[in-house]
Amino acid sequence: MKQAGDMLEKAYAQSLEFNDYTISADINNSLIMVYKLLKDYPGLLKCIQERERIIQNEIRRQPDMEQMLHLDFFYLYVSYAEYYFAMGDLPNAKKYIQLTDKYYSDRYFVNKLRYYEINKAYYAATEQWDEAIACVDSLIIGYRKVDYSYYNNALLDKADIFLDMEDYERALPLYEKALKANDSISVSIYNKQVNFIRNTHATEKIQLQTLRFRYYISMSVLILMAVIIIVLLIFSILKYRINRELRKSERKMRRIAQEVEKVNKVKESFISNMNNAIREPLTEVVDCSLALASDKEFTDEQKNRAAGVISKTATELSQLINDILDLSRLEAGMMKFQTAELYFNTYLEEAIGTASVNKELQINNKLEQGVNYLIRYDGNWLFRLMKTVFIPVDEVPREPLRILIETNMVKNEIMVTVYNSIFITTSPVQNIVIQSEMNRMLVEHFGGAWIVNEEYVQFTIPFV
């Protein structure tokens, strides 16, 4: 059931992309039923509130739809009432039961039964006995038409109400009636099972006699054709093994083809993105170089500016190419690390000192004072990791770079969380994307985790 809830959650999240109220509402209904069966009340409340949100969104989008959503409002308020009743919050349960009265209609049988069920439960809990009995009588009439077991349960509910009222004279006949009905159902089921067993036994007896006759015939044939059967058996075994190997090879080839296809797609996407990242700087270098090589006269300031552009662009291109090479080595598992036991605090202080030059930082260091945490890492790569993460995003309005350092003693790891880092920019350039991927593979290589979302960048480092 929990697995079904997870699948429905994923389906609901995908349905929101289509902006189709009907699909989203149907999936949400199923989710509410699953969480009720699981008795996952936080999840149930979340689903009900989500249902209310999509109803309000639909009304804002199409105001004329409000009259057509009476059943949806009824379902919503009944769900709220059932939730608060389950939580023991009777005032809120009463509030939503009263709201259901506005949208209740007896045209739909299932909704009619739900309406009387929640009203019966509330009235019984608040000792409004006459109203509770009226509701359970409506349920008895309704269930009698569809399901005899639910009908008996409704009889027992009515008997329980009389018992709570200490009206034993009216409670006892109802208990007897319900129990007799249950006994008759049990007897009927037992008789059907006995008849089924008898019929099955008779059938199996005939089959057994048939099998015995066939066995005698088969034995006679087997004695005459033993050699042929052995040959056929050996041939079948060989054929089975060959087919099994062929199926394994076929599945392996399919997996390889799929992996090659994925790699080709990633490669095409990477080359397409790198095209602009390399072509534009190269074009700028070529233009400046051609301009300097032409017969046109330039002032010293213009020459210096052009030379600066060429130098800066060449440096950036060189760094981009080095990053691509490092990324390729990391992906291929060919990067050679100089792993040693290091003190994390030393590298942290050095990285923060470098990052604080001409930048506003807010440091929240929750590491235990006086403890220098020992880690196994490559020192150069560790410094590079923190140096790249401790760069603030260049957006307006600018926010200070906030760094939180803390420990997770359960996993024996250091967690570094950085807010307003350059890696959470809304439109990252290619070199930022490459550096983020390099950081992820580096951190995971040394047993940590790399997380990037809309609010922060976080990486973890295990300590010894």
Side-chain angles (χ1 to χ4, degrees):
M1 187 64 72
K2 181 66 169 62
Q3 190 176 18
D6 294 339
M7 294 176 64
L8 286 171
E9 286 282 7
K10 293 179 181 178
Y12 179 74
Q14 292 177 353
S15 72
L16 295 177
E17 299 176 3
F18 298 101
N19 199 23
D20 188 318
Y21 170 78
T22 303
I23 295 175
S24 299
D26 288 343
I27 298 174
N28 183 271
N29 288 346
S30 301
L31 268 172
I32 289 175
M33 295 302 297
V34 168
Y35 282 125
K36 280 175 62 179
L37 292 173
L38 291 174
K39 295 185 179 180
D40 182 353
Y41 295 114
L44 175 61
L45 180 60
K46 176 184 173 184
C47 286
I48 297 172
Q49 291 172 339
E50 178 64 17
R51 181 60 183 274
E52 185 173 15
R53 185 188 69 79
I54 63 175
I55 290 175
Q56 296 300 334
N57 286 346
E58 185 69 11
I59 292 174
R60 281 194 294 270
R61 194 168 65 89
Q62 301 183 65
D64 297 339
M65 286 290 293
E66 185 170 5
Q67 295 298 323
M68 301 176 63
L69 295 176
H70 267 59
L71 282 177
D72 297 72
F73 277 110
F74 172 80
Y75 187 86
L76 172 68
Y77 294 138
V78 165
S79 298
Y80 266 127
E82 290 171 345
Y83 166 77
Y84 283 114
F85 185 81
M87 300 303 294
D89 189 348
L90 294 180
N92 270 322
K94 178 182 179 182
K95 169 187 170 184
Y96 285 102
I97 289 172
Q98 291 173 343
L99 287 172
T100 60
D101 294 339
K102 178 181 177 181
Y103 299 99
Y104 170 69
S105 171
D106 59 1
R107 292 172 55 194
Y108 300 97
F109 182 72
V110 174
N111 288 345
K112 180 178 179 180
L113 294 179
R114 284 192 70 186
Y115 175 78
Y116 283 120
E117 281 282 5
I118 188 61
N119 275 276
K120 178 261 296 181
Y122 173 76
Y123 288 136
T126 55
E127 298 185 359
Q128 300 181 51
W129 306 120
D130 292 339
E131 291 82 354
I133 291 171
C135 291
V136 80
D137 284 339
S138 299
L139 289 171
I140 289 171
I141 294 171
Y143 285 137
R144 183 184 296 166
K145 301 176 182 178
V146 293
D147 193 302
Y148 204 66
S149 62
Y150 282 108
Y151 166 74
N152 285 337
N153 290 336
L155 288 176
L156 290 172
D157 288 342
K158 186 174 182 180
D160 290 340
I161 292 172
F162 284 135
L163 185 64
D164 291 337
M165 295 170 61
E166 298 184 358
D167 189 346
Y168 305 114
E169 292 184 0
R170 286 196 287 178
L172 186 59
L174 287 174
Y175 280 126
E176 292 176 348
K177 182 177 179 181
L179 292 174
K180 285 181 180 178
N182 283 334
D183 290 342
S184 64
I185 293 173
S186 300
V187 170
S188 176
I189 293 172
Y190 173 76
N191 289 334
K192 288 181 180 179
Q193 291 175 340
V194 169
N195 290 332
F196 174 76
I197 292 171
R198 287 175 178 172
N199 294 334
T200 303
H201 176 71
T203 303
E204 289 178 350
K205 187 175 181 181
I206 294 172
Q207 290 176 346
L208 181 60
Q209 292 174 349
T210 304
L211 288 173
R212 285 177 178 174
F213 178 73
R214 289 179 180 177
Y215 172 75
Y216 294 135
I217 295 176
S218 298
M219 287 297 296
S220 301
V221 174
L222 285 172
I223 293 172
L224 295 174
M225 301 182 65
V227 176
I228 296 175
I229 291 175
I230 292 172
V231 172
L232 290 175
L233 181 60
I234 294 173
F235 175 77
S236 299
I237 293 173
L238 291 175
K239 182 180 178 182
Y240 168 76
R241 289 181 177 177
I242 293 171
N243 289 336
R244 184 177 61 183
E245 293 300 323
L246 287 174
R247 285 194 295 269
K248 287 182 179 179
S249 300
E250 184 181 357
R251 287 195 294 268
K252 186 176 180 180
M253 291 298 296
R254 286 178 180 174
R255 286 197 299 271
I256 294 173
Q258 291 173 354
E259 291 175 359
V260 170
E261 185 178 357
K262 289 180 181 178
V263 169
N264 287 335
K265 287 182 180 179
V266 172
K267 181 179 177 182
E268 291 173 3
S269 175
F270 180 78
I271 292 173
S272 175
N273 292 334
M274 289 304 301
N275 186 31
N276 291 332
I278 296 177
R279 182 178 59 187
E280 292 178 2
L282 278 177
T283 302
E284 192 173 4
V285 170
V286 171
D287 290 343
C288 290
S289 300
L290 291 175
L292 290 174
S294 66
D295 296 334
K296 185 177 178 180
E297 294 184 0
F298 293 94
T299 64
D300 290 340
E301 182 182 352
Q302 290 174 328
K303 290 179 180 179
N304 291 334
R305 187 183 305 118
V309 170
I310 293 172
S311 176
K312 178 177 178 294
T313 306
T315 302
E316 291 176 352
L317 275 174
S318 176
Q319 182 62 46
L320 179 60
I321 291 170
N322 287 333
D323 287 345
I324 294 172
L325 292 175
D326 286 341
L327 179 61
S328 300
R329 293 190 193 99
L330 285 167
E331 286 180 336
M334 299 176 62
M335 179 64 72
K336 295 181 179 179
F337 295 103
Q338 297 179 357
T339 305
E341 291 189 350
L342 312 171
Y343 288 110
F344 172 78
N345 306 54
T346 304
Y347 284 84
L348 175 66
E349 291 172 3
E350 185 178 354
I352 290 176
T354 302
S356 62
V357 177
N358 298 325
K359 299 183 184 72
E360 183 181 355
L361 303 181
Q362 292 182 2
I363 312 297
N364 185 3
N365 190 344
K366 293 186 177 181
L367 298 180
E368 186 176 348
Q369 296 297 320
V371 177
N372 207 349
Y373 291 88
L374 189 65
I375 63 174
R376 289 189 59 80
Y377 234 83
D378 184 307
N380 293 329
W381 278 97
L382 176 61
F383 180 74
R384 178 176 176 178
L385 166 66
M386 291 191 285
K387 181 180 176 181
T388 57
V389 175
F390 293 170
I391 299 175
V393 62
D394 188 16
E395 294 182 354
V396 178
R398 293 187 178 180
E399 295 283 343
L401 190 74
R402 292 186 288 125
I403 304 173
L404 170 64
I405 308 103
E406 54 189 338
T407 56
N408 184 340
M409 300 308 295
V410 176
K411 297 183 178 181
N412 286 340
E413 64 184 13
I414 301 168
M415 297 189 300
V416 181
T417 307
V418 184
Y419 299 86
N420 303 316
S421 172
I422 194 171
F423 289 105
I424 57 175
T425 180
T426 55
S427 53
V429 294
Q430 187 64 35
N431 62 331
I432 297 299
V433 176
I434 293 173
Q435 188 62 55
S436 177
E437 187 64 13
M438 289 171 60
N439 288 349
R440 180 188 67 78
M441 287 189 283
L442 171 68
V443 171
E444 291 177 356
H445 174 80
F446 286 100
W450 172 262
I451 300 171
V452 179
N453 56 36
E454 297 178 354
E455 297 181 2
Y456 58 81
V457 178
Q458 184 182 85
F459 62 90
T460 63
I461 298 176
F463 57 80
V464 180

